[in-house]
Amino acid sequence: MKDTRFTKLVILINGLVPLVLLLWDWYHKRLGANPLELVTRTTGMLALVFLIVSLAVTPLRRTTGLNWLIKFRRLLGLFAFFYGSLHLMTYVAFDRFFHLGTIPADVLKRPFIAIGMSAFFLMVPLAITSTDKMVKRLGGKRWALLHRVVYLSAVLAVVHYYMLVKSDTRLPITFGFVLALLLGFRILARYYKPPVNAHGREEGLPPLNKSSL
């Protein structure tokens, strides 16, 4: 197995770069006329990007045979949760000003917020159980079953983004298309039986492991 420590460090640094740049622009008052909207959109976009990239690890690993890529999935997923947390906190702190009692009425008024919150809260147990210790405690099968919730979270995140955009929906539709490809790959890998060649061996991709998401 390839030593991935340096690559993980590169991912960690690059994953924090957008936040550093955002804080830098905030400090120098370069967030534009509507800082709240910019921060909210940026953190939400970053959460969705990292979520999609984390889901792309398994298809990429299986099509390339580079099994060490699986070591990056946890870090990418945690970045998705991290930026999702910032996205939610931006809303609570700067839109609701920590007046939690006003959130239910706002959610009823703007349903896309409820969908976004659902996507985030589905990620909470995944982040909590992301450690090796929790994998051992839950057992591989139960852990894998729990972490399939990420698929629903990703779907809700894309729907949230689509409902948020009022005019140009090309970007959320693109995210939806990519997500459909990633989920379609998993369905195909799980249920498709490759043809048998002349030597009696199955051709195509190896079967999808229960621990693969």
Side-chain angles (χ1 to χ4, degrees):
M1 186 69 76
K2 180 178 178 180
D3 187 350
T4 57
R5 287 177 294 182
F6 176 74
T7 308
K8 284 184 176 180
L9 179 61
V10 172
I11 295 175
L12 179 63
I13 293 174
N14 282 276
L16 293 174
V17 165
L19 176 61
V20 173
L21 293 177
L22 196 63
L23 292 174
W24 179 265
D25 287 339
W26 171 78
Y27 179 77
H28 291 279
K29 299 181 180 180
R30 298 173 182 171
L31 295 180
N34 193 337
L36 173 60
E37 181 178 359
L38 177 62
V39 174
T40 303
R41 292 289 181 93
T42 301
T43 53
M45 178 69 71
L46 288 168
L48 185 54
V49 167
F50 277 107
L51 187 56
I52 294 295
V53 173
S54 70
L55 290 175
V57 170
T58 291
L60 185 60
R61 175 182 66 86
R62 298 191 66 238
T63 54
T64 61
L66 302 175
N67 291 325
W68 49 267
L69 291 173
I70 201 68
K71 289 190 172 185
F72 305 134
R73 188 176 62 188
R74 180 186 303 176
L75 180 58
L76 293 167
L78 287 175
F79 263 122
F81 179 75
F82 172 68
Y83 280 111
S85 300
L86 293 181
H87 183 63
L88 178 60
M89 286 306 300
T90 300
Y91 165 74
V92 173
F94 300 107
D95 192 311
R96 298 293 95 191
F97 300 102
F98 293 105
H99 296 154
L100 303 183
T102 65
I103 293 179
D106 194 40
V107 169
L108 291 175
K109 182 179 179 181
R110 298 187 289 178
F112 71 88
I113 296 178
I115 294 176
M117 286 185 173
S118 298
F120 171 77
F121 286 120
L122 285 174
M123 294 176 64
V124 172
L126 308 186
I128 294 174
T129 59
S130 64
T131 63
D132 292 334
K133 185 176 181 180
M134 288 301 300
V135 175
K136 293 180 181 179
R137 179 176 298 181
L138 290 173
K141 291 183 179 180
R142 285 189 296 177
W143 183 89
L145 183 62
L146 172 64
H147 278 249
R148 286 175 184 168
V149 174
V150 70
Y151 306 146
L152 178 58
S153 178
V155 170
L156 291 176
V158 171
V159 173
H160 167 72
Y161 186 26
Y162 179 83
M163 294 176 66
L164 178 65
V165 177
K166 297 179 180 180
S167 55
D168 190 352
T169 59
R170 288 176 296 179
L171 195 52
I173 288 175
T174 301
F175 274 110
F177 177 74
V178 174
L179 178 60
L181 289 178
L182 296 176
L183 297 183
F185 177 92
R186 285 167 165 81
I187 294 173
L188 181 65
R190 185 174 182 84
Y191 296 105
Y192 172 70
K193 294 182 178 180
V196 178
N197 60 23
H199 301 285
R201 296 178 180 177
E202 290 185 345
E203 300 175 343
L205 297 174
L208 186 65
N209 295 327
K210 290 182 179 180
S211 61
S212 298
L213 296 176

